[in-house]
Amino acid sequence: MTNLRAEAFSLDSLRAFHKLLSSCMVGQMPKIIVSSDTTFIREAEAKYRGIFENAIEGIYQSTPDGRYLMVNPALARMYGYEDPDAMLRSVSDIQNQIYVDPGFRERFRQEIESAGVVRGLEYQVRRRDGSIMWISESARSVPGADGTAPYYEGFIEDITARKEAEAEKARLEKQALHLQKMDAIGTLAGGMAHDFNNVLCAILGYTELALLDPQIKGASHENLELALRSAERASDLVKRILTFARPTDGARHPLRITPILKEAVKLLQATLPSSVEIHLATQTEEDVIVADPTELHQIVMNLGVNAKHALSEKGGRLTFGLDLASVNAVTAGKRNVAPGEFVHLTVSDNGCGMSREVLERIFDPFFTTKPAGRGTGLGLTFVNKMVGHSGGFVEVQSEPGQGTAFHIYWPKSSAPPAPLRGEKNQAISGRREHILVVDDEVLILSMMQQRLRKMNYRVITRADSVSALETLRAEPDKFRLVITDHTMPALQGAELAEIIGEIRADLPVILMTGLNAPPDLSRSKFAPRRRVISKPLDFVQLSHRLRELLD
């Protein structure tokens, strides 16, 4: 049997036996006229019969108007027919029965009629069962005998596997590019976070101090509250940027989605316009996942607010649905998760929908279709990142004018859910303990001193690590606790904490940091007496940390 690949068939090969093919009847080879060299003719007939019958690529002759004159067994099998006869009986209109895009047939005809040949033309065709495959076609136009109409003859190779491999490679390259983009954003966040958070720490701290002054009343008090909310939004924006660079979060634990979902929906009902109807349908009680409750709440709120913008013009319906879904191995492989049972949250609306171009970019950082000043372009990026951190994935369906549906999948956890802790919204007063505060930002030192004194602590401040150590060595028993910034000249906060431990092993230290990756103190022998708190500071949270260590 001759294994003949399409690239081995040159147009010269076609010319060598097109006369033989053109005289073929359906299912027959032509009769050979016996000449003086009968043996040679019979060998030639056997050779070309073998080429035609046994080639692994498809061979055909067709009329320009789209009717097959003959096909070989390989082409018939390729298109899903038992034999050439079955294909010739079934296919009478190549353009409309074979081509996925019938208009492409006209392009093929124009090219072959103008140049006489077509080389390696790639396009999609439809098999007998309706499935789609990719082919590569090389063909030529053959003039008919005695001035009759020409016909086409050529070779067809099934390149579906190659096309699928190319598509998968393109998908992986796009995914790798996306990951590189996320890494770049994370690097940017890590480099800028400390400075941003120092500025915000001072703004928030001094604004809160001013609001504590009973003499600030009326419009001044309201203006300061507006300034405080704006600074808090800026702080939230920095935290979202930092999520790109945080690989882990210790706050993730088994929890039920339903209570958090109900709470978020209740908040959305109070903020969305009356023209938007909100519906909640939970179809399962097996809704335990491993996640951060704050992140989960933010995910639901972000998707709800996103739907609000899609529904803002005419109103409509916003639906939250919760059920279980099985993710098979194929889908799991594409999403880089383990197959199994997933908790499935659907957030859908019947708003304006999105075009394919917008849909492909919705998770890109800073991409937004909202007017200037109405969106940061980080909401959906945040959603995608946080779901991924919890081992899940997001799928989106949308059509212009047909609405949008976000499908979020988290691996279902069999662990019992941890009890949700109530928010500690009340600061705890101190007991006049001496605290040493170290930070190279003088504005922050002044703000910290005022706030901690209002919380009933006695405070001494130092602007660098060296002078802080000198103060501590001079009176090692005076202080009950040290609060220090982590990023400072001379000695980093973590290094300072180690030296403090050598001076007094029992002295607690709280590290303040605005970095994307908090310092790891777990390996320190003084770890039980160390805590890390993020900037901008939440003084309610700080008051609880202080009492945990001091009591």
Side-chain angles (χ1 to χ4, degrees), residues 11 14 64 112-118 139-144 150-153:
L11 294 170
L14 283 170
I112 200 170
E113 293 297 338
S114 62
V117 297
V118 169
R140 72 177 190 130
S141 177
V142 181
Y151 58 89
Y152 306 151
E153 58 187 23

Side-chain angles (χ1 to χ4, degrees), residues 447-479:
M447 181 270 296
M448 290 279 294
Q449 186 177 55
Q450 294 182 61
R451 286 302 307 268
L452 289 170
R453 284 178 175 173
K454 286 184 177 294
M455 293 163 59
N456 201 32
Y457 291 100
R458 289 181 284 187
V459 183
I460 294 177
T461 62
R462 292 292 180 266
D464 63 84
S465 303
V466 175
S467 61
L469 285 174
E470 291 175 353
T471 300
L472 190 61
R473 286 191 175 107
E475 298 181 275
D477 297 325
K478 178 177 180 177
F479 298 98

Side-chain angles (χ1 to χ4, degrees), residues 255-259 262 282-289 322-324 343 412-413 417:
L255 56 83
R256 293 192 63 214
I257 291 181
T258 301
K262 288 181 177 179
T282 57
Q283 301 178 21
T284 180
E285 294 183 355
E286 299 180 48
D287 60 345
V288 178
I289 65 171
L322 191 67
D323 59 10
L324 291 179
V343 179
K412 187 171 81 71
S413 175

Side-chain angles (χ1 to χ4, degrees), residues 417-434:
L420 292 176
R421 293 181 295 178
E423 290 293 325
K424 298 178 179 178
N425 53 13
Q426 295 293 326
I428 303 175
S429 295
R431 299 172 186 171
R432 301 288 294 163
E433 293 96 339
H434 276 96

Side-chain angles (χ1 to χ4, degrees), residues 9-16 116-119 138-140 153 155:
F9 282 111
S10 66
L11 294 170
D12 291 335
S13 302
L14 283 170
R15 296 187 184 99
V117 297
V118 169
R119 302 177 187 273
S138 295
R140 72 177 190 130
E153 58 187 23
F155 303 94

